[in-house]
Amino acid sequence: MSMHPQGARAELLAAATDHSWGVPIPPLADPRTAHDAAVLILFGVLDRTPAPAADAAVSRDLDVLLQRRAPTLSSHPGQVSFPGGRVEPTDADAVATALREAEEETGLDPAGVEVLSTLPVIPLAASNHLVTPVLAWWQSPSRVVAVDHAETVEVFRVPVAQLLDPATRFTSTLSRMGRTFRGPAFDVDGTIVWGFTAMVLDALFDATGWTVPWDATVERPIEL
C-alpha cells in the first residue's frame, strides 16, 4: 500500500477532492419524497492521546468509528453503520447534522473533530434517503459509548488495517424478490459490515489507494 508522504490525513483529503470516485448504489424509487441525511466518517489514530503530527499516521495506526444499530429500529435494524441520521430543521448544514447525530449516538466531543470534506450525496434506496457523507479526522479523540440503546447497541473503533486485510473481505449477497444484490463486505471478528457502509468504505479505500487486493469471488449470503 502506498502512503502519501504527509500521511493518511493528507490522503483522505486528496481522495475527497477527487469527485470521480463514486458508490454504485441503485437510484431512489421516489426522489421527490426522499429525506436528507448525513453520516460522519471519522478516522483517527488508534490510541488515547491526541496526535499533534496527525499527518504522520500510517495505516496500522488508523481506525474508523462505527456503530451497531438497535435490532428494533425500523430502518436498517441491527446493521453496522457510521454515526448519523436525518437532517433536522435546526441543523445549519450536513456537517452540523453529522456532528450532532454522532454526539447524540456515541457521546463524542465534536470539538475534537476536524471536518475534512463533505463528499458527494449518495442515494440510499432502502430507506429513501439522500445521504451526505462527512469525512473527518479525529484530532483529539474523546470517549465514545452507545448513548441511547434504543438506537445504538454498540460503538467501536475498527482498525483500518483489519478492514484492509484480504482475509476480512468478501462479497455479500442478498436475495430479494427474485434478484440477488452483491456488494463489498467485511467480517471484523464476526461482526459483518455490509451494505451502504461497506460500499462507502470500499470506495474510499480505493480512492485513497489503500486497498489491498482481495478475492471478490468469495461470496457469503447476508442473514437478516
Side-chain angles (χ1 to χ4, degrees), residues 7-90:
R9 177 179 167 280
E11 288 194 317
L12 288 165
L13 269 171
T17 59
D18 176 14
H19 285 192
S20 64
W21 70 283
V23 180
I25 287 181
L28 298 178
D30 188 0
R32 295 170 301 172
T33 61
H35 295 284
D36 292 322
V39 296
L40 185 68
I41 307 175
L42 182 58
F43 287 91
V45 177
L46 191 61
D47 60 26
R48 297 184 178 180
T49 58
D55 277 347
V58 294
S59 65
R60 67 177 179 273
D61 298 324
L62 284 181
D63 65 14
V64 63
L65 184 67
L66 297 175
Q67 63 183 23
R68 190 196 309 276
R69 294 167 59 82
T72 50
L73 291 176
S74 59
S75 177
H76 311 288
Q79 288 189 26
V80 174
S81 69
F82 301 112
R86 188 177 293 185
V87 172
E88 298 290 347
T90 52

Side-chain angles (χ1 to χ4, degrees), residues 104-192:
E104 291 175 1
E105 292 172 339
T106 74
L108 67 76
D109 182 358
V113 175
E114 176 196 5
V115 173
L116 301 180
S117 177
T118 54
L119 302 177
V121 173
I122 301 171
L124 186 51
S127 57
N128 204 37
H129 281 85
L130 290 168
V131 183
T132 299
V134 176
L135 185 63
W137 184 261
W138 218 348
Q139 185 65 38
S140 182
S142 51
R143 181 173 176 267
V144 289
V145 66
V147 175
D148 182 357
H149 283 262
E151 288 196 11
T152 307
V153 293
E154 189 179 6
V155 174
F156 38 93
R157 298 175 64 174
V158 180
V160 170
Q162 187 172 9
L163 291 169
L164 294 173
D165 183 347
T168 299
R169 309 202 59 179
F170 65 98
T171 296
S172 64
T173 62
L174 181 64
S175 296
R176 286 270 179 88
M177 295 179 289
R179 296 180 60 192
T180 298
F181 301 91
R182 290 175 170 82
F186 305 83
D187 184 341
V188 183
D189 299 327
T191 294
I192 305 302

